[in-house]
Amino acid sequence: MPVQASVEQEPGFLNRALRTLSGCNRALLRATDETALYQEICRVVVEQAGYRFAWVGRAEHDPGKSITHLAQTGLDLDYASSLRLTWANAELGRGPAGTAIRTGKICISHDVQSDPALGPWREGALERGIASLLSLPLWVEEEIFGSFDIGALEPNAFGAQEVELLSQAAEDLGFGIATLRTRTRAAEAEATIKRMAYSDALTGLPNRVRLRELLEEAIVAAKQERRPLGLLQLEVGRSREINEVLGYHEADRLQQEIANRLVQTAGAANPVARVGECEFAVLMPSGGAEQASQLAQRILVALDEPIELSGLFLDARASIGIALYPGHGTDPEALIRRGSIALEQAKRSSTGYALFKGGLDLECAQRMALMGDLRRAIEHNELLLHYQPKLQIATNKVCGSEALVRWQHPQHGLIAPDQFIKLAESTGLITPLTYWVLDAALAQRYAWHEEGIERPVSVNLSARDLRDPKLLERINGSFATWGAQSDWIEFELTESALMEDPVTAMETLVRLKNLDAQLAIDDFGTGYSSLAYLQQLPVDSLKIDQSFVTRMTCDDGSAKIVHSIIELAHNLDLTVVAEGVEDQATLTQLGRLGCDIAQGYTISRPIPAEQFRDWEAHSTWH
Ligand code: C2E
Ligand code: CA
Ligand code: CA
């Protein structure tokens, strides 16, 4: 059914075409999605321009070449959806819509009553007062997308000029659809890029970049609502060993399982991000110290359950550092920085989590830089031992020495143990460090043995060493290597290290004692051990913490503490050592109180083993 001869155009009819065109343009400008656009255009055609109905259909490329109803105004819905339309070259495809789609040309039915092509639809159309019909093909990106159909109450409603204007509207609609699609594709591409840039490939969780954004948004909201928020930073350890023993694939699976547990435990309100190889973060958008600590505890419990991988049960123990807005910082950087400092603090705490405690920022950054070097230092023998003599007070004789580690750093010079022991403990480097010290001390002890000097050397063990399952084996191996007697080495363990995990500590002490090793409790008086626990410990001596000893001559309280520790030790049949003896007066007073052994600057500072003989020759002790 080609375009029929044009009919006389009335000015009123032209006006409605113009109204259609301008209404369509307005709709196009405002459109955000395709469906809304069709709907709006149909509405404009009927409600603003005054046509009887408007309809948009999409040409499907199915075997029946069907036309799907997309939007319409002016028809009853039952009727609109009961129209079985096709653009196939068959009877039901020869109506205006089917013809417009099939031929790509405008198709007009000037008089529904008499048009032979309208047979199947005539009755329904006349019942609804439709006297003439116009179908415009909709071209989108150079393909026919469907048809835009308009019906009028009068026969011969569509004159040439009006059709011209309406086909411009159809063109604009096609262009509008194309624009929306381009926009959608661009948005999809952008979303994909964003997803890739903002999420961790292994777990699909937000990554470090995204976490920063989330944190920023959360801070803005928290500020407005005058409430606190928390950032929890986690390190889930053991990854290095797992990489080495099980390979990267299994290590990845472990991380995925950890991610699952974290997401489940944190809940939908607290997003989880993966910010590093074995580092995660949980953002708690609302809540203070109390809630953050509770969340940290729940997470620790959830990660406590071993994770099964290839038949092995792996321990995914975590440390959690907490920083809070606004107390610890008011911008994302400050919170992230403080959270990681708190994480370092958490690694040293027995609870596994820690709230940020101020004042460590700069110091910590410097120490972190040192850490990188320490591993190399252990391997390249940059560590060395100094020995501090111990004096038997009653006889005025040197009765042993304590091995104290130092680090000869190529740039920073000689570094004291306070600067690196704690960090070595928190990064797992303490294990190789302790092994190094043990071997170096045994080597020296062997040299002294060769010279006929048989005095024990004390070696410090850290809290971490007490949990090291290989410690005993390693000690046995080193003793065997040097043909050492069990009394060559004495082990010092701080009271606070024992109290971190009293049960494990007790087990390790018992096993050490079974090797016949001498054991001392270091820094005694600072670790709150109970007398009952102390009585059970298989130790040989107590070292009074130097904070009491250095003050005992000027502070009555300290003197009393020293006195009572000496009595306590003797009641338990333990030898008592005072360290931090800085002057002769203190040494004299200690002697009077019955203290057995003294160690301190007034006797000697810690010195290299080579200087030991010289020192002895020139000192008043023998
Ligand atoms: P510590 O085991 O309590 O060692 C005694 C510390 O007191 C030593 O500090 C020593 O130099 C110092 N000192 C000795 N006499 C005096 C004195 O009269 N007055 C004062 N004010 N201080 C005195 P150093 O060598 O800096 O070691 C500090 C800490 O580092 C040690 O405390 C120990 O906890 C740790 N450390 C040292 N070497 C090792 C090691 O090989 N392994 C482990 N795990 N820790 C070690
Ligand atoms: Ca010590
Ligand atoms: Ca000490």
Side-chain angles (χ1 to χ4, degrees):
M1 191 177 56
V3 181
Q4 291 177 9
S6 69
V7 288
E8 195 66 18
Q9 198 68 58
E10 285 183 31
F13 285 7
L14 262 185
N15 269 345
R16 64 187 179 189
L18 281 168
R19 282 200 296 273
T20 301
L21 193 55
S22 73
C24 279
N25 285 334
R26 219 167 318 144
L28 288 174
L29 285 175
R30 298 202 186 123
T32 50
D33 73 90
E34 286 187 34
T35 317
L37 177 63
Y38 310 140
Q39 213 75 61
E40 178 59 8
I41 297 242
C42 291
R43 196 192 64 77
V44 164
V45 169
V46 175
E47 291 176 12
Q48 285 185 10
Y51 289 102
R52 174 67 188 83
F53 84 89
W55 185 89
V56 178
R58 182 176 58 218
E60 305 296 352
H61 293 271
D62 54 2
K65 297 187 172 173
S66 56
I67 305 176
T68 305
H69 157 91
L70 294 178
Q72 63 91 20
T73 307
L75 297 175
D76 40 310
L77 204 66
D78 282 355
Y79 175 65
S81 44
S82 72
L83 292 169
R84 289 193 352 267
L85 297 174
T86 166
W87 54 281
N89 197 0
E91 196 199 358
L92 288 175
R94 295 200 191 102
T99 308
I101 291 171
R102 192 170 55 254
T103 61
K105 298 204 172 82
I106 297 164
C107 182
I108 306 175
S109 213
H110 285 294
D111 189 355
V112 172
Q113 183 86 58
S114 60
D115 189 338
L118 282 178
W121 305 285
R122 189 182 334 275
E123 212 172 312
L126 289 174
E127 266 172 30
R128 286 164 182 81
I130 299 160
S132 53
L133 277 170
L134 166 69
S135 277
L136 301 155
L138 276 177
W139 290 88
V140 177
E141 293 174 333
E142 289 166 14
E143 271 181 33
I144 296 207
F145 165 73
S147 74
F148 178 29
D149 296 24
I150 300 173
L153 284 164
E154 320 77 16
N156 299 315
F158 301 102
Q161 282 174 289
E162 183 164 351
V163 169
E164 176 69 32
L165 290 171
L166 291 174
S167 58
Q168 269 181 40
E171 249 175 59
D172 289 351
L173 176 56
F175 175 75
I177 296 170
T179 310
L180 281 177
R181 291 192 179 168
T182 312
R183 230 186 273 165
T184 310
R185 279 195 296 268
E188 277 166 9
E190 200 178 318
T192 310
I193 292 169
K194 234 181 175 168
R195 210 169 40 243
M196 282 161 57
Y198 282 6
S199 66
D200 165 58
L202 184 63
T203 59
L205 292 175
N207 62 11
R208 188 182 288 279
V209 179
R210 181 69 184 131
L211 172 71
R212 209 200 148 283
E213 277 194 2
L214 288 171
L215 191 54
E216 194 161 310
E217 291 162 14
I219 289 175
V220 170
K223 195 178 230 151
Q224 265 167 10
E225 290 161 33
R226 294 171 185 279
R227 54 174 167 72
L229 68 77
L231 175 68
L232 283 69
Q233 294 194 51
L234 287 86
E235 191 179 300
V236 188
R238 302 209 37 192
S239 179
R240 194 177 313 117
E241 286 93 328
I242 287 164
N243 282 349
E244 282 167 8
V245 177
L246 295 178
Y248 285 94
H249 180 65
E250 295 295 89
D252 283 354
R253 281 184 47 207
L254 178 68
Q255 289 293 311
Q256 285 164 335
E257 177 54 26
I258 290 167
N260 287 342
R261 287 196 190 179
L262 284 175
V263 169
Q264 257 180 23
T265 314
N270 305 310
V272 177
R274 182 161 182 254
V275 297
E277 185 48 37
C278 34
E279 290 164 50
F280 291 86
V282 181
L283 173 60
M284 186 188 69
S286 178
E290 179 67 23
Q291 288 90 338
S293 304
Q294 283 169 3
L295 180 56
Q297 285 165 12
R298 284 206 305 279
I299 290 172
L300 289 170
V301 169
L303 292 177
D304 217 29
E305 186 80 5
I307 292 175
E308 194 189 344
L309 272 190
S310 309
L312 292 175
F313 286 90
L314 300 171
D315 193 359
R317 209 177 283 181
S319 302
I320 305 178
I322 303 171
L324 300 165
Y325 165 89
H328 300 148
T330 50
D331 61 80
E333 273 69 39
L335 285 181
I336 291 172
R337 200 172 58 242
R338 302 242 145 119
S340 20
I341 292 168
L343 178 57
E344 290 307 315
Q345 295 165 345
K347 289 180 192 167
R348 279 175 250 145
S349 92
S350 53
T351 55
Y353 70 95
L355 280 166
F356 172 75
K357 280 190 215 69
L360 292 171
D361 257 23
L362 185 73
E363 195 192 340
C364 186
Q366 288 167 343
R367 290 212 223 157
M368 286 315 285
L370 272 186
M371 277 329 293
D373 299 352
L374 183 57
R375 180 183 302 279
R376 188 205 61 216
I378 298 170
E379 283 160 12
H380 292 70
N381 258 336
E382 281 174 25
L383 300 181
L384 51 103
L385 290 180
H386 280 180
Y387 295 85
Q388 186 174 35
K390 290 180 173 180
L391 184 78
Q392 183 140 46
I393 300 175
T395 59
N396 232 8
K397 282 207 161 86
V398 178
C399 62
S401 64
E402 177 174 8
L404 293 158
V405 70
R406 271 95 184 96
W407 177 6
Q408 187 65 56
H409 192 282
Q411 279 96 43
H412 303 298
L414 199 65
I415 303 178
D418 303 329
Q419 299 291 310
F420 60 91
I421 291 287
K422 282 220 158 59
L423 268 157
E425 284 174 343
S426 64
T427 51
L429 282 175
I430 193 68
T431 307
L433 186 141
T434 300
Y435 294 169
W436 184 92
V437 169
L438 183 64
D439 279 324
L442 273 167
Q444 182 57 49
R445 180 64 186 79
Y446 177 80
W448 277 326
H449 168 74
E450 292 265 273
E451 294 172 34
I453 303 167
E454 304 292 356
R455 296 174 194 139
V457 170
S458 298
V459 165
N460 292 283
L461 294 181
S462 90
R464 276 272 169 147
D465 294 324
L466 293 177
R467 295 200 292 268
D468 171 8
K470 297 224 169 72
L471 179 71
L472 270 286
E473 195 184 309
R474 183 63 193 233
I475 290 175
N476 266 325
S478 296
F479 270 60
T481 305
W482 294 102
Q485 305 293 309
S486 61
D487 62 359
W488 278 20
I489 299 286
E490 176 185 61
F491 293 103
E492 294 189 4
L493 303 110
T494 63
E495 188 186 15
S496 54
L498 297 176
M499 295 315 288
E500 247 180 49
D501 184 354
V503 178
T504 311
M506 176 72 88
E507 284 167 14
T508 310
L509 286 190
V510 169
R511 293 172 66 203
L512 280 170
K513 198 70 222 170
N514 287 341
L515 297 180
D516 223 12
Q518 292 286 303
L519 304 175
I521 301 183
D522 205 350
D523 299 351
F524 188 79
T526 57
Y528 311 104
S529 57
S530 74
L531 190 57
Y533 180 70
L534 201 61
Q535 270 179 312
Q536 296 168 35
L537 288 176
V539 296
D540 307 281
S541 55
L542 290 188
K543 287 184 90 168
I544 309 171
D545 189 69
Q546 52 181 276
S547 61
F548 306 118
V549 178
T550 47
R551 287 202 304 262
M552 64 182 280
T553 49
C554 57
D555 170 42
D556 218 30
S558 297
K560 283 196 176 119
I561 291 172
V562 171
H563 190 173
S564 56
I565 293 177
I566 293 171
E567 290 206 329
L568 170 74
H570 286 163
N571 286 336
L572 294 172
D573 270 340
L574 302 176
T575 304
V576 62
V577 184
E579 67 178 340
V581 184
E582 292 185 348
D583 49 46
Q584 185 59 46
T586 307
L587 186 58
T588 311
Q589 195 174 341
L590 284 166
R592 243 187 274 132
L593 292 173
C595 181
D596 304 296
I597 293 170
Q599 182 183 343
Y601 293 169
T602 190
I603 300 154
S604 166
R605 290 186 172 257
I607 49 174
E610 314 78 86
Q611 292 175 20
F612 224 86
R613 193 182 282 277
D614 238 21
W615 166 80
E616 256 183 303
H618 295 98
S619 67
T620 48
W621 342 97
H622 317 285

